[in-house]
Amino acid sequence: SYTAPHQEYTSTAFLERVEIETEKRATSIVCDGSGVMLTRTSIKSTGAGIHIRGIQSSVGLIDSTVRARRCGIVFQNGRLLAKDSYISAHWSCGIFVNEGNIKLSRTGVRAYRERAIATRLSSPHYGLAYATPHIDIRNDSEICSFPTFALDLPTGTAQIRNSEVRSMEYTAIRLGS
């Protein structure tokens, strides 16, 4: 009897000075066990800007912009590094974190209807289990939410250094549930 060898499907993309635009609530980039590096790239999405799903997924944003109508980055697992970048969402949160590591340096994250960075959403649309993400915010990063919490972290850890975290109406940082 023949048994096919086990294969891991991984891919890597390097995007520099690229403009990506999606319509009809589509997601611009989905990472399943892969890596993507965006340099001086602009994403404009009517759905989520980037959806990171695989445990081995790794996304880097260098001098890039993610503007999404729904959620800037949905982060289920893996790693995200953003430096000199801007991430925003109009209808949901800027970055939704389920599990993994996020490092932000000189990066702005804004949300206009929900939380800027959150480990859970009020919307059942994302129906993900909660885990323990680690968030590292430093070097003049700005985390800002207009109606609700800028950083809502019921689980996980956060380190914030030399940065600004603010909410226009409610508490800026909420830890625990």
Side-chain angles (χ1 to χ4, degrees):
S1 125
Y2 174 76
T3 304
H6 174 72
Q7 286 187 328
E8 297 267 341
Y9 292 100
T10 61
S11 59
T12 304
F14 297 97
L15 306 174
E16 184 171 6
R17 295 182 183 177
V18 175
E19 290 189 23
I20 301 168
E21 188 169 343
T22 58
E23 297 180 4
K24 297 185 181 180
R25 293 196 279 182
T27 299
S28 294
I29 296 174
V30 176
C31 291
D32 287 324
S34 59
V36 63
M37 175 60 77
L38 307 167
T39 304
R40 295 183 203 117
T41 293
S42 173
I43 294 174
K44 186 177 178 184
S45 176
T46 57
I50 300 172
H51 193 153
I52 306 167
R53 299 193 293 207
I55 193 166
Q56 297 299 321
S57 294
S58 182
V59 173
L61 299 172
I62 307 296
D63 195 21
S64 294
T65 303
V66 178
R67 296 177 195 270
R69 185 172 292 159
R70 297 286 177 220
C71 187
I73 298 176
V74 177
F75 191 83
Q76 286 180 260
N77 212 328
R79 293 180 308 266
L80 169 68
L81 168 64
K83 184 176 180 185
D84 299 317
S85 295
Y86 179 75
I87 301 161
S88 70
H90 188 73
W91 291 105
S92 192
C93 69
I95 300 174
F96 168 69
V97 186
N98 187 45
E99 177 69 46
N101 294 310
I102 292 178
K103 293 183 181 181
L104 306 176
S105 178
R106 293 189 305 265
T107 294
V109 180
R110 288 189 175 225
Y112 296 96
R113 297 254 196 266
E114 274 281 350
R115 301 156 182 100
I117 299 175
T119 56
R120 66 176 170 178
L121 295 173
S122 58
S123 168
H125 174 71
Y126 290 104
L128 301 170
Y130 309 130
T132 56
H134 176 71
I135 301 168
D136 187 352
I137 301 168
R138 60 176 70 186
N139 301 333
D140 297 321
S141 290
E142 179 189 37
I143 311 303
C144 181
S145 179
F146 287 93
T148 62
F149 311 104
L151 178 60
D152 188 7
L153 194 65
T155 62
T157 62
Q159 294 178 339
I160 304 169
R161 289 177 231 126
N162 302 322
S163 295
E164 183 177 342
V165 179
R166 62 189 157 107
S167 175
M168 297 305 191
E169 290 184 27
Y170 298 106
T171 305
I173 299 172
R174 180 171 75 168
L175 302 173
S177 52

mmCIF file of all heavy atoms in Angstrom, residues 1 13-14 18 41 46 53 63 88 90 97 120-121 129 131 138 141 151 160 176:
data_model
loop_
_atom_site.group_PDB
_atom_site.id
_atom_site.type_symbol
_atom_site.label_atom_id
_atom_site.label_comp_id
_atom_site.label_asym_id
_atom_site.label_seq_id
_atom_site.Cartn_x
_atom_site.Cartn_y
_atom_site.Cartn_z
ATOM 1 N N SER A 1 0.830 -1.176 0.000
ATOM 2 C CA SER A 1 0.000 0.000 0.000
ATOM 3 C C SER A 1 0.874 1.238 0.000
ATOM 4 O O SER A 1 1.919 1.291 0.631
ATOM 5 C CB SER A 1 -0.933 -0.090 1.202
ATOM 6 O OG SER A 1 -0.861 0.995 2.024
ATOM 7 N N ALA A 13 5.184 36.032 0.726
ATOM 8 C CA ALA A 13 5.012 37.111 -0.244
ATOM 9 C C ALA A 13 5.705 38.363 0.279
ATOM 10 O O ALA A 13 5.602 38.693 1.458
ATOM 11 C CB ALA A 13 3.531 37.401 -0.463
ATOM 12 N N PHE A 14 6.435 39.037 -0.600
ATOM 13 C CA PHE A 14 7.045 40.321 -0.307
ATOM 14 C C PHE A 14 6.396 41.346 -1.226
ATOM 15 O O PHE A 14 6.530 41.240 -2.449
ATOM 16 C CB PHE A 14 8.553 40.276 -0.550
ATOM 17 C CG PHE A 14 9.265 39.301 0.343
ATOM 18 C CD1 PHE A 14 9.562 38.027 -0.102
ATOM 19 C CD2 PHE A 14 9.620 39.661 1.635
ATOM 20 C CE1 PHE A 14 10.212 37.120 0.718
ATOM 21 C CE2 PHE A 14 10.264 38.762 2.465
ATOM 22 C CZ PHE A 14 10.561 37.492 2.008
ATOM 23 N N VAL A 18 2.775 48.519 -3.265
ATOM 24 C CA VAL A 18 1.627 47.908 -3.932
ATOM 25 C C VAL A 18 0.362 48.513 -3.336
ATOM 26 O O VAL A 18 0.296 48.778 -2.144
ATOM 27 C CB VAL A 18 1.627 46.373 -3.721
ATOM 28 C CG1 VAL A 18 0.385 45.728 -4.297
ATOM 29 C CG2 VAL A 18 2.884 45.754 -4.308
ATOM 30 N N THR A 41 3.173 49.780 1.378
ATOM 31 C CA THR A 41 2.008 49.226 0.692
ATOM 32 C C THR A 41 0.741 49.790 1.312
ATOM 33 O O THR A 41 0.687 50.064 2.499
ATOM 34 C CB THR A 41 2.033 47.686 0.787
ATOM 35 O OG1 THR A 41 3.147 47.216 0.027
ATOM 36 C CG2 THR A 41 0.774 47.050 0.254
ATOM 37 N N THR A 46 -13.207 46.769 2.081
ATOM 38 C CA THR A 46 -14.559 46.934 2.613
ATOM 39 C C THR A 46 -14.873 45.857 3.651
ATOM 40 O O THR A 46 -15.834 45.959 4.380
ATOM 41 C CB THR A 46 -15.610 46.883 1.491
ATOM 42 O OG1 THR A 46 -15.463 45.657 0.793
ATOM 43 C CG2 THR A 46 -15.433 48.053 0.544
ATOM 44 N N ARG A 53 -4.493 33.664 10.216
ATOM 45 C CA ARG A 53 -5.158 32.509 10.817
ATOM 46 C C ARG A 53 -4.234 31.406 11.293
ATOM 47 O O ARG A 53 -4.544 30.710 12.239
ATOM 48 C CB ARG A 53 -6.163 31.918 9.831
ATOM 49 C CG ARG A 53 -7.238 32.884 9.459
ATOM 50 C CD ARG A 53 -8.377 32.250 8.762
ATOM 51 N NE ARG A 53 -8.048 31.725 7.436
ATOM 52 C CZ ARG A 53 -8.926 31.596 6.468
ATOM 53 N NH1 ARG A 53 -10.178 31.955 6.643
ATOM 54 N NH2 ARG A 53 -8.571 31.099 5.311
ATOM 55 N N ASP A 63 6.095 50.837 7.084
ATOM 56 C CA ASP A 63 5.679 52.044 6.368
ATOM 57 C C ASP A 63 4.485 51.756 5.446
ATOM 58 O O ASP A 63 4.469 52.134 4.286
ATOM 59 C CB ASP A 63 6.859 52.607 5.569
ATOM 60 C CG ASP A 63 6.609 54.031 5.098
ATOM 61 O OD1 ASP A 63 5.756 54.720 5.696
ATOM 62 O OD2 ASP A 63 7.251 54.453 4.116
ATOM 63 N N SER A 88 -6.484 51.165 10.469
ATOM 64 C CA SER A 88 -7.756 51.740 10.922
ATOM 65 C C SER A 88 -8.933 50.900 10.459
ATOM 66 O O SER A 88 -8.849 50.174 9.476
ATOM 67 C CB SER A 88 -7.918 53.175 10.409
ATOM 68 O OG SER A 88 -8.118 53.188 9.017
ATOM 69 N N HIS A 90 -13.401 51.280 10.247
ATOM 70 C CA HIS A 90 -14.538 52.177 10.405
ATOM 71 C C HIS A 90 -15.667 51.549 11.225
ATOM 72 O O HIS A 90 -16.215 52.181 12.101
ATOM 73 C CB HIS A 90 -15.052 52.609 9.033
ATOM 74 C CG HIS A 90 -16.092 53.674 9.125
ATOM 75 N ND1 HIS A 90 -15.781 54.968 9.451
ATOM 76 C CD2 HIS A 90 -17.427 53.637 8.973
ATOM 77 C CE1 HIS A 90 -16.886 55.693 9.487
ATOM 78 N NE2 HIS A 90 -17.906 54.904 9.192
ATOM 79 N N VAL A 97 -7.428 40.553 18.317
ATOM 80 C CA VAL A 97 -6.392 39.577 18.647
ATOM 81 C C VAL A 97 -7.018 38.385 19.351
ATOM 82 O O VAL A 97 -7.732 38.549 20.329
ATOM 83 C CB VAL A 97 -5.345 40.194 19.609
ATOM 84 C CG1 VAL A 97 -4.199 39.229 19.825
ATOM 85 C CG2 VAL A 97 -4.858 41.522 19.100
ATOM 86 N N ARG A 120 -11.653 40.644 22.191
ATOM 87 C CA ARG A 120 -13.006 40.158 21.913
ATOM 88 C C ARG A 120 -13.816 41.301 21.316
ATOM 89 O O ARG A 120 -13.559 42.464 21.580
ATOM 90 C CB ARG A 120 -13.690 39.614 23.156
ATOM 91 C CG ARG A 120 -13.957 40.661 24.202
ATOM 92 C CD ARG A 120 -14.717 40.055 25.346
ATOM 93 N NE ARG A 120 -14.759 40.995 26.449
ATOM 94 C CZ ARG A 120 -15.373 40.773 27.565
ATOM 95 N NH1 ARG A 120 -16.003 39.641 27.743
ATOM 96 N NH2 ARG A 120 -15.378 41.661 28.510
ATOM 97 N N LEU A 121 -14.810 40.938 20.541
ATOM 98 C CA LEU A 121 -15.666 41.922 19.895
ATOM 99 C C LEU A 121 -17.083 41.786 20.405
ATOM 100 O O LEU A 121 -17.497 40.718 20.846
ATOM 101 C CB LEU A 121 -15.681 41.715 18.373
ATOM 102 C CG LEU A 121 -14.364 41.942 17.657
ATOM 103 C CD1 LEU A 121 -14.506 41.539 16.205
ATOM 104 C CD2 LEU A 121 -13.949 43.384 17.752
ATOM 105 N N ALA A 129 -12.702 31.658 19.963
ATOM 106 C CA ALA A 129 -12.402 31.392 21.368
ATOM 107 C C ALA A 129 -11.320 32.363 21.843
ATOM 108 O O ALA A 129 -10.448 32.748 21.093
ATOM 109 C CB ALA A 129 -11.912 29.961 21.520
ATOM 110 N N ALA A 131 -8.035 33.539 23.996
ATOM 111 C CA ALA A 131 -6.799 32.924 24.463
ATOM 112 C C ALA A 131 -5.941 33.992 25.144
ATOM 113 O O ALA A 131 -6.476 34.923 25.702
ATOM 114 C CB ALA A 131 -6.084 32.282 23.280
ATOM 115 N N ARG A 138 5.174 50.303 21.467
ATOM 116 C CA ARG A 138 6.305 51.139 21.863
ATOM 117 C C ARG A 138 6.649 52.200 20.822
ATOM 118 O O ARG A 138 6.072 52.213 19.748
ATOM 119 C CB ARG A 138 7.525 50.274 22.144
ATOM 120 C CG ARG A 138 7.958 49.464 20.939
ATOM 121 C CD ARG A 138 9.211 48.681 21.151
ATOM 122 N NE ARG A 138 8.999 47.593 22.075
ATOM 123 C CZ ARG A 138 9.950 46.811 22.529
ATOM 124 N NH1 ARG A 138 11.172 46.996 22.151
ATOM 125 N NH2 ARG A 138 9.683 45.838 23.358
ATOM 126 N N SER A 141 3.966 55.010 19.353
ATOM 127 C CA SER A 141 2.766 54.471 18.723
ATOM 128 C C SER A 141 1.552 55.205 19.289
ATOM 129 O O SER A 141 1.596 55.718 20.406
ATOM 130 C CB SER A 141 2.636 52.971 18.981
ATOM 131 O OG SER A 141 3.620 52.262 18.264
ATOM 132 N N LEU A 151 -7.805 50.128 24.196
ATOM 133 C CA LEU A 151 -7.210 48.803 24.383
ATOM 134 C C LEU A 151 -8.107 48.015 25.321
ATOM 135 O O LEU A 151 -8.258 48.368 26.481
ATOM 136 C CB LEU A 151 -5.797 48.922 24.970
ATOM 137 C CG LEU A 151 -5.054 47.615 25.264
ATOM 138 C CD1 LEU A 151 -4.869 46.784 24.002
ATOM 139 C CD2 LEU A 151 -3.705 47.916 25.904
ATOM 140 N N ILE A 160 3.329 48.587 27.241
ATOM 141 C CA ILE A 160 3.201 49.853 26.517
ATOM 142 C C ILE A 160 4.316 50.769 26.992
ATOM 143 O O ILE A 160 4.441 51.032 28.180
ATOM 144 C CB ILE A 160 1.827 50.499 26.774
ATOM 145 C CG1 ILE A 160 0.712 49.524 26.407
ATOM 146 C CG2 ILE A 160 1.694 51.799 25.991
ATOM 147 C CD1 ILE A 160 -0.658 49.949 26.861
ATOM 148 N N GLY A 176 -8.887 42.802 31.986
ATOM 149 C CA GLY A 176 -9.835 41.885 32.612
ATOM 150 C C GLY A 176 -11.218 42.076 32.019
ATOM 151 O O GLY A 176 -11.450 42.937 31.204
#
